Amino acid sequence: RTGNALCNPAINRVKPLRQREIEVLEWVREGKSNGEIGQILDLSPCTVKNHLQKIMKKFNVGTRGQAVTLAIRLGAIKHTQR
């Protein structure tokens, strides 16, 4: 992984997220585990993990938290107050 993706000028070239990827990220933002997200979206935990891996690859980040932060900054998902 190279540097901080949030400061990367290549951010404008991020591949768009699919609707299901957005849904997964919205639940990650809420602190849900892969198993919980799978139950909510009627997916296996492995499928949720695969979606997250694709998201992190598109965003060039290494963690779920970084993916959520970047998705919020890009406007793909909304920030919510807990």
Side-chain angles (χ1 to χ4, degrees):
R1 311 270 179 223
T2 58
N4 183 344
L6 299 178
C7 298
N8 187 341
I11 205 79
N12 295 327
R13 296 190 299 269
V14 170
K15 291 182 181 178
L17 297 177
R18 294 174 178 253
Q19 183 59 40
R20 187 59 100 180
E21 292 170 338
I22 292 169
E23 292 170 358
V24 167
L25 273 179
E26 289 172 334
W27 288 112
V28 170
R29 175 195 61 206
E30 299 303 316
K32 301 294 184 188
S33 69
N34 290 358
E36 292 169 321
I37 295 168
Q39 287 180 337
I40 292 165
L41 298 178
D42 196 27
L43 302 170
S44 77
C46 289
T47 300
V48 174
K49 181 179 176 180
N50 287 336
H51 282 305
L52 283 167
Q53 288 175 336
K54 289 178 184 178
I55 292 164
M56 290 189 293
K57 185 175 179 179
K58 285 180 180 182
F59 284 179
N60 192 31
V61 297
T63 69
R64 297 159 60 102
Q66 289 172 333
V68 168
T69 299
L70 186 52
I72 291 168
R73 292 223 175 150
L74 293 172
I77 63 172
K78 294 184 189 232
H79 184 271
T80 60
Q81 299 293 333
R82 285 191 167 198

